[in-house]
């Protein structure tokens, strides 16, 4: 039977390929802010600011691959695991497209950078967590979707399920995946946001540049789409949460 899996963002994002902030000619607080803004815009919106690219010493194509495509693919994998979706060519592409559509509605604001005693920089980012998965969970039972898929294809018991070939079974998995992902996509126009938590991103000095602390990025990323209701409690926010 299908069931919702736990979100494993910290583990999946641990290997993020983030370009360092180059420090060849010195780094100012404004540089740190520009870098963080550019990294967020590249990773979530697929927008590539020339100043960010220069500070990170990467090309737009490298940023598209290492920031946007990597980040959306990682989040899509988290989404599939969360919804117990098998990773097939069809479900991978569909989930990545959905994450890109959701991320296009990301809302965040980069605050002023502060230089710390050790020479590193701390930048506070305010985030508006997106409630789409909480909204979907409140309306849908994915177990029922899976059972409906089985019933519609004449699979009424475990014996019938066991008798299926691997190819036949994966075809049903793709039907289930499409139904679930289409259901989430239908809620995108109703996107709501929770109250604004903040995350501090620290740029640590390393050799001739600055490296973003990975755990800080994981913490921020876990807020962007609320999987658990920690940030978007629909029973509390009501209609306010439904306002895009």
């Amino acid at each position: 039977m299908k069931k919702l899996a736990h979100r494993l963002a910290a583990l999946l994002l641990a290997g993020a390929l983030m370009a360092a902030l180059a420090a060849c000619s010195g780094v100012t607080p404004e540089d740190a802010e520009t870098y963080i803004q550019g990294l967020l815009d590249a990773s979530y919106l697929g927008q590539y600011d020339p100043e960010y690219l220069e500070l990170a010493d990467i090309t737009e194509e490298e940023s598209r691959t290492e920031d946007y495509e990597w980040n959306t693919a990682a989040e899509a994998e988290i989404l599939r695991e969360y919804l117990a979706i098998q990773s097939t060519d069809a479900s991978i592409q569909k989930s990545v497209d959905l994450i890109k559509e959701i991320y296009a509605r990301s809302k965040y604001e980069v605050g002023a950078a502060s230089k710390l005693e050790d020479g590193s920089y701390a930048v506070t980012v305010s985030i508006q967590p997106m409630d789409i998965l909480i909204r979907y969970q409140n309306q849908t039972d994915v177990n029922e979707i899976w059972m409906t898929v089985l019933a519609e294809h004449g699979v009424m018991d475990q014996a019938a399920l066991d008798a299926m070939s691997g190819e036949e079974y994966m075809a049903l998995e793709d039907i289930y995946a499409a139904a679930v992902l289409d259901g989430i996509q239908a809620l995108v126009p109703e996107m709501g946001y929770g109250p604004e938590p903040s995350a501090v991103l620290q740029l640590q000095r390393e050799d001739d540049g600055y490296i973003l602390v990975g755990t800080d990025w994981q913490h921020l990323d876990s807020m962007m789409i609320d999987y658990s209701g920690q940030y978007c409690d629909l029973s509390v926010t009501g209609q306010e949460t439904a306002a895009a």
Side-chain angles (χ1 to χ4, degrees):
M1 179 176 289
K2 293 290 178 184
K3 63 179 181 179
L4 296 182
H6 294 294
R7 188 177 194 273
L8 301 176
L11 293 178
L12 289 171
L13 290 173
L17 300 175
M18 287 179 256
L21 171 57
C24 299
S25 58
V27 170
T28 67
E30 291 74 20
D31 290 335
E33 295 160 21
T34 299
Y35 173 85
I36 294 298
Q37 182 73 57
L39 177 61
L40 289 168
D41 291 347
S43 299
Y44 292 103
L45 304 179
Q47 298 175 0
Y48 311 99
D49 175 45
E51 290 187 61
Y52 162 69
L53 298 177
E54 182 177 357
L55 287 169
D57 193 25
I58 56 174
T59 66
E60 181 175 324
E61 183 58 36
E62 288 171 335
S63 180
R64 180 180 294 108
T65 300
E66 297 175 13
D67 294 330
Y68 187 58
E69 297 299 341
W70 192 96
N71 196 43
T72 52
E75 191 68 34
E77 185 175 352
I78 290 167
L79 181 67
R80 293 193 304 276
E81 171 128 4
Y82 182 77
L83 296 167
I85 290 174
Q86 293 288 331
S87 293
T88 66
D89 289 345
S91 69
I92 289 172
Q93 186 60 58
K94 195 172 184 64
S95 60
V96 169
D97 290 344
L98 175 58
I99 286 298
K100 289 180 177 179
E101 189 173 348
I102 293 173
Y103 273 172
R105 294 176 177 251
S106 299
K107 295 184 179 182
Y108 46 82
E109 184 175 352
V110 176
S114 301
K115 192 166 187 177
L116 307 180
E117 291 184 1
D118 63 0
S120 62
Y121 283 96
V123 182
T124 300
V125 181
S126 298
I127 301 139
Q128 294 187 43
M130 290 180 280
D131 72 355
I132 188 167
L133 290 185
I134 304 304
R135 195 173 292 277
Y136 181 74
Q137 289 180 67
N138 283 357
Q139 300 177 11
T140 310
D141 184 342
V142 295
N143 292 317
E144 290 184 2
I145 293 176
W146 176 239
M147 298 307 293
T148 298
V149 169
L150 293 179
E152 288 177 347
H153 291 80
V155 182
M156 307 306 295
D157 54 32
Q158 187 63 42
L161 190 63
D162 292 341
M164 298 180 70
S165 68
E167 184 176 347
E168 290 171 332
Y169 178 79
M170 293 309 295
L172 296 187
E173 286 283 0
D174 275 340
I175 294 170
Y176 163 79
V180 171
L181 296 174
D182 284 345
I184 297 172
Q185 185 176 33
L187 296 178
V188 171
E190 304 172 19
M191 185 76 73
Y193 301 85
E196 296 185 39
S198 61
V200 177
L201 300 183
Q202 185 173 347
L203 290 164
Q204 282 187 339
R205 188 65 187 264
E206 184 172 304
D207 299 327
D208 59 348
Y210 288 83
I211 300 295
L212 181 59
V213 176
T215 52
D216 293 348
W217 178 266
Q218 293 160 19
H219 178 55
L220 177 147
D221 183 79
S222 70
M223 298 178 185
M224 199 66 71
I225 302 174
D226 188 359
Y227 283 70
S228 65
Q230 181 178 357
Y231 305 105
C232 302
D233 186 346
L234 301 187
S235 66
V236 173
T237 57
Q239 293 301 313
E240 291 183 8
T241 306

